[in-house]
Amino acid sequence: MIKKLFLTMLLASTFSFASQIEIEDAYVRATPPAVQNSAVFMTIKNSSSKNILLVKASSDVAKVVELHTHEMKNGVMKMYQVQSIEILANKEVSLNPGGYHIMLIGLNKALKVDDTITLKLVFSDNSTKEITVPVRTIMDGMNHQNHKMMNHN
């Protein structure tokens, strides 16, 4: 009985924490037929009182899915894989072109505007979020984010 109660409480706390992570403005960049890679962008909000890490992403649309960032080194912009993306307590992090993003490597098909993909996000507390992500051109995605920022100021 105590074991069952403990498991119920553990599941409830994991669900409660996961529900405090919100994903907004997610989109994946459309690709021409011959391009094998793309990137996913979004805003991740953490309304909990604890820092959390995005530690993994997966999708059946690509052979490999990795967390990435860009950094200027010696006057050259370089992209590289990161092990995690930290979302501070009661803060948000934006995954944008030129910064943090999720790479889709070895696409199984071209990503066309108005299609969607399914993306699973895994966090450091083992909670997950599965989201449906629309395919947009890079300019459509940036215009959507700029419009949102202008409406919230």
Side-chain angles (χ1 to χ4, degrees):
M1 177 70 174
I2 292 175
K3 189 175 185 179
K4 186 175 181 180
L5 179 62
F6 176 74
L7 286 173
T8 302
M9 288 173 48
L10 181 64
L11 285 173
S13 68
T14 298
F15 177 75
S16 172
F17 189 74
S19 68
Q20 294 181 356
I21 296 294
E22 294 178 42
I23 309 300
E24 293 184 352
D25 301 319
Y27 70 96
V28 59
R29 187 177 59 217
T31 61
V35 174
Q36 293 295 304
N37 302 327
S38 188
V40 182
F41 309 104
M42 67 188 70
T43 299
I44 305 172
K45 292 184 174 189
N46 178 3
S47 61
S48 77
S49 60
K50 296 181 181 181
N51 296 349
I52 189 167
L53 302 173
L54 173 62
V55 295
K56 184 178 179 181
S58 61
S59 177
D60 63 1
V61 76
K63 293 178 180 86
V64 177
V65 181
E66 296 177 347
L67 307 177
H68 277 227
T69 194
H70 286 91
E71 186 175 293
M72 186 67 79
K73 290 187 178 182
N74 301 324
V76 177
M77 185 67 84
K78 300 219 176 211
M79 179 178 67
Y80 59 93
Q81 183 179 6
V82 294
Q83 295 303 307
S84 62
I85 298 172
E86 184 174 31
I87 308 100
L88 298 175
N90 296 303
K91 299 284 183 184
E92 65 183 48
V93 66
S94 292
L95 281 61
N96 291 314
Y100 285 119
H101 58 281
I102 298 170
M103 281 298 298
L104 303 174
I105 302 168
L107 292 171
N108 300 323
K109 63 178 184 171
L111 301 179
K112 298 176 185 169
V113 172
D114 295 328
D115 285 351
T116 60
I117 68 163
T118 300
L119 185 71
K120 181 178 179 182
L121 305 173
V122 180
F123 297 93
S124 53
D125 66 343
N126 292 320
S127 66
T128 62
K129 284 229 179 248
E130 190 167 293
I131 60 173
T132 300
V133 182
V135 178
R136 297 187 185 138
T137 66
I138 194 73
M139 291 310 296
D140 285 344
M142 290 170 69
N143 288 338
H144 180 74
Q145 287 182 338
N146 289 339
H147 178 70
K148 181 183 175 214
M149 286 172 44
M150 290 179 358
N151 286 336
H152 285 254
N153 287 334

